[in-house]
């Protein structure tokens, strides 16, 4: 059973290599070999962990594959030249297009922000980052593939291109470009490498999610993965490959049909699948919320809340004290009004008593015609007196009103002059009492506090103080004028010294210019020597790459031979199992013949195993010897280049 799962994993890897993820028709790469993590499980067909092939026509914004022209009228070449080939793949991405670069920068910033990049990062920083910042971003993205990864501290400029090459990055990122990553001519290539790495992270996530999604199926059931399952896989592979060779890029219909057959074969529970996916979404939301809460500093939040509450408490206390003061004032006012009410009530009772007495007197008295005539005459006299008095009262009120208007105008003028005086005094720092030039004297005029006599006294007192202050200011002004003259003389002396120093500075600049010219000549010589060393190093690297390609070609041949032997072994094993079933049904008649056939088959298998064991270690030893020679040669070339 375990060997059957190995065969299905081999078929899965071969099927994923046939999917339409390739740069050009002549340079197709298998994405099954690009995952750097050693602990990533290969998809097992025994547990329905078959990744759905990525559609090329679903345009990923930053995919490194670029646009391709493929159709049914252009059949493919079946030779895989992208793996271990000798051709250099041309980068078809518009990395020198500013709009494309800005789009990549935005997507990189969004990815880093969503995944919780620990450092401070902004879109402006990503316009031209330093080498240190680029290495931090690369390490963070790489850790999405391998959480245990640690970036080495030494020679990071050499490690990053080497790691990209180990991940089978299809384009060349030179080591010299790592020394100035933020330069306009090198940053687009480095940005393209980061976007390619992010694509690999997303592919790895999709595979991991599918493994998690289908991991619980068929664990509790014992299903024999026999000829029916192999027939489904082989039919699916043959049909998709034939369509791929005819020029098609997507196989959605075939994938859906294949998945339906597999679900029918393994009795997949759709309700369980939907409930598991819903549980996964809920748990993901809870984990994301917990991560956000863990990132925020709760202590700082509580401290801020405490400060806010303390400020609110102080405001409430001040409001409470003001309300208590207002309450005391209202109580005093209430007591005063109650006293006035009692006094007014007593006066009202007295007036009522007087009114009753007068009313009683009016009712009891008797008037004669002479009294009535006298009363009317007195009444007319009193009315004339009242009219004359009311007229004089109106004249007096009018005179009072005019005098009040004149007084108000005089008061306004006095207040304006007083305001100007206070404004000038504040500018001269005479107000308030603790001002710089006040000298402990109060220069502020408060007209409401002084009477007519004390006003004249305070006026003379302030005039004396102001005269004294004016004399002090004039003395200080004369002293400052003398100091200004002395400073002007010293300034002239300093200017003459500056002129002398400027002449000396011109002489020194001339000497510096001569030294700069000599330094430029030396730098040009060093640059020529460096170009020669780089050319020599490039030739050594080309030789090394040529040797590595030869080694990879030999290794690929050995792997193909091993796969062929494994396939032959599985075919023989399957035939043996079929024969065992036949023997079980006809055990009474052909027991002796089946036993002989089984012994012959086991002997063939043992010979095949022994031959595989002899071939594989020998090929591995030869490859190790060649690699050891290459490392020694590279070490010698490096020592020569360093010397």
């Amino acid at each position: 059973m375990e060997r059957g799962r190995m065969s299905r994993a081999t078929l899965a890897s071969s099927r994923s290599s046939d999917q339409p993820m390739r740069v050009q028709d002549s340079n197709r790469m298998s994405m099954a070999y690009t995952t750097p993590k050693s602990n990533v499980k290969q998809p097992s067909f025994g547990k329905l962990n078959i990744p759905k092939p990525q559609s090329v026509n679903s345009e990923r914004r930053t995919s490194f594959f670029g646009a391709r022209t493929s159709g049914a009228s252009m059949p493919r070449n079946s030779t895989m030249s992208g793996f271990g080939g000798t051709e250099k793949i041309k980068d078809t991405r518009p990395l020198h297009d500013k709009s494309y670069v800005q789009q990549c920068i935005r997507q990189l910033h969004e990815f880093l922000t969503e995944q919780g990049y620990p450092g401070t990062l902004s879109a402006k920083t990503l316009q031209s980052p330093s080498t240190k910042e680029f290495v931090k971003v690369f390490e963070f993205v790489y850790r999405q593939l391998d959480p245990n990864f640690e970036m080495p501290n030494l020679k990071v400029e050499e490690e990053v291109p080497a790691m990209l090459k180990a991940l089978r990055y299809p384009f060349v990122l030179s080591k010299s470009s790592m020394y100035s990553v933020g330069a306009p001519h090198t940053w687009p290539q480095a940005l393209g490498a980061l976007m390619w790495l992010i694509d690999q992270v997303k592919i790895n996530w999709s595979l991991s999610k599918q493994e998690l999604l289908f991991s619980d199926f068929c664990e509790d059931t014992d299903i024999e993965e026999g000829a029916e399952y192999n027939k489904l896989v082989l039919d699916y592979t043959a049909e998709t490959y034939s369509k791929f060779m005819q020029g098609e890029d997507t196989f959605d219909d075939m994938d859906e049909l294949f998945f339906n057959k597999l679900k029918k074969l393994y009795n997949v529970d759709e309700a369980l699948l939907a409930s598991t996916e819903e549980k996964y979404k809920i748990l993901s939301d809870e984990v994301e919320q917990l991560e956000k809460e863990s990132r925020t500093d709760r202590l700082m939040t509580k401290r801020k809340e405490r400060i806010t509450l303390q400020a609110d408490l102080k405001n409430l206390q001040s409001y409470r004290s003001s309300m208590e003061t207002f309450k005391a004032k209202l109580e005093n006012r209430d007591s005063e009004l109650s006293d006035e009410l009692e006094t007014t009530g007593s006066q009202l009772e007295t007036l009522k008593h007087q009114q009753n007495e007068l009313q009683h007197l009016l009712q009891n008295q008797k008037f004669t015609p002479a009294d009535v005539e006298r009363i009317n005459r007195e009444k007319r006299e009193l009315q004339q007196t009242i009219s004359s008095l009311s007229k004089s009262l109106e004249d007096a009120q009018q005179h009072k009103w005019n005098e009040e208007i004149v007084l108000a105008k005089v008061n306004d003028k006095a207040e304006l002059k007083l305001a100007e005086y206070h404004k000038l005094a504040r500018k001269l720092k005479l107000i308030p009492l603790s001002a710089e030039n006040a000298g402990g004297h109060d220069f502020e005029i408060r007209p409401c506090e002084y009477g007519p006599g004390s006003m004249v006294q305070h006026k003379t007192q302030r005039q004396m103080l102001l005269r004294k202050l004016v004399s002090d200011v004039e003395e200080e002004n004369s002293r400052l004028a003398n100091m200004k003259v002395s400073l002007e003389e010293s300034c002239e002396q300093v200017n003459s010294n500056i002129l002398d120093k400027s002449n000396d500075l011109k002489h020194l600049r001339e000497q510096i210019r001569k030294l700069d010219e000599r330094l430029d000549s030396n730098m040009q010589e060093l640059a020529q020597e460096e170009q020669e060393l780089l050319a020599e190093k490039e030739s050594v690297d080309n030789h090394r790459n040529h040797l590595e390609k030869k080694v990879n070609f030999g290794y690929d041949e050995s792997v193909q031979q091993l796969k062929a032997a494994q396939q032959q072994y599985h075919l023989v094993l399957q035939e043996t199992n079929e024969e065992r079933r036949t023997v079980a049904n006809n055990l009474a008649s052909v027991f002796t013949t089946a036993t002989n056939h089984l012994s012959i088959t086991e002997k063939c298998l043992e010979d095949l195993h022994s031959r595989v064991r002899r071939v594989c270690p020998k090929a591995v030893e030869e490859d190790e010897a060649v690699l050891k020679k290459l490392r020694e040669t590279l070490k010698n070339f490096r020592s020569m280049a360093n010397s």
Side-chain angles (χ1 to χ4, degrees), residues 516-534:
D516 287 337
E517 290 177 356
R518 190 181 302 171
L519 179 63
D520 291 337
S521 62
N522 292 332
M523 289 295 291
Q524 290 177 0
E525 292 177 359
L526 289 174
Q528 291 178 359
E529 292 178 359
E530 185 179 359
Q531 288 179 359
E532 292 176 358
L533 290 174
L534 288 173

Side-chain angles (χ1 to χ4, degrees), residues 95-113:
L95 294 176
H96 296 288
D97 187 1
K98 292 183 179 179
S99 60
Y100 179 78
V101 172
Q102 294 299 322
Q103 182 184 2
C104 293
I105 289 173
R106 286 195 299 271
Q107 292 169 12
L108 176 60
H109 184 263
E110 290 175 0
F111 178 82
L112 296 176
T113 306

Side-chain angles (χ1 to χ4, degrees), residues 264-377:
K264 185 177 180 181
L265 177 63
Y266 291 106
N267 296 323
V268 175
D269 190 357
E270 294 288 346
L272 178 61
L273 181 62
S275 63
T276 306
E277 188 174 358
E278 187 68 24
K279 289 179 182 178
Y280 172 73
K281 289 181 180 179
I282 295 171
L283 292 174
S284 299
D285 295 337
E286 292 179 356
V287 169
E288 185 177 357
Q289 185 177 1
L290 291 173
E291 288 179 352
K292 289 181 179 178
E293 291 178 356
S294 64
R295 291 195 193 104
T296 58
D297 193 352
R298 295 184 180 178
L299 182 60
M300 290 299 294
T301 306
K302 295 298 180 184
R303 285 177 179 172
K304 291 179 180 178
E305 290 179 359
R306 187 187 69 180
I307 292 170
T308 307
L309 292 174
Q310 288 177 353
D312 294 339
L313 180 62
K314 289 180 180 178
N315 294 330
L316 288 173
Q317 288 176 352
S318 62
Y319 179 71
R320 180 185 175 186
S321 61
S322 64
M323 292 302 293
E324 288 178 352
T325 307
F326 183 68
K327 181 181 177 183
K329 290 180 180 179
L330 289 177
E331 289 176 353
N332 295 330
R333 181 66 176 167
D334 182 55
S335 62
E336 292 175 358
L337 290 174
S338 61
D339 295 338
E340 290 180 0
L341 184 61
E342 290 177 359
T343 306
T344 307
S346 62
Q347 291 178 358
L348 181 63
E349 291 294 331
T350 305
L351 292 173
K352 284 181 179 180
H353 183 67
Q354 292 178 358
Q355 183 183 6
N356 293 328
E357 290 179 353
L358 293 172
Q359 188 71 25
H360 184 265
L361 182 63
L362 179 63
Q363 290 176 359
N364 294 327
Q365 70 178 357
K366 294 180 179 180
F367 296 99
T368 61
D371 293 333
V372 173
E373 187 178 356
R374 182 177 55 80
I375 290 171
N376 290 330
R377 186 175 60 251

Side-chain angles (χ1 to χ4, degrees), residues 519-555:
L519 179 63
D520 291 337
S521 62
N522 292 332
M523 289 295 291
Q524 290 177 0
E525 292 177 359
L526 289 174
Q528 291 178 359
E529 292 178 359
E530 185 179 359
Q531 288 179 359
E532 292 176 358
L533 290 174
L534 288 173
E536 186 177 357
K537 182 181 178 183
E538 187 175 359
S539 64
V540 172
D541 289 339
N542 292 332
H543 183 64
R544 185 196 65 186
N545 293 331
H546 184 65
L547 293 176
E548 286 181 354
K549 288 174 182 177
K550 287 185 177 179
V551 171
N552 290 332
F553 182 73
Y555 176 74

Side-chain angles (χ1 to χ4, degrees), residues 77-90:
N77 188 0
S78 61
T79 306
M80 299 289 287
S81 61
F83 185 86
T86 59
E87 298 181 17
K88 286 187 177 181
I89 301 173
K90 184 179 179 182

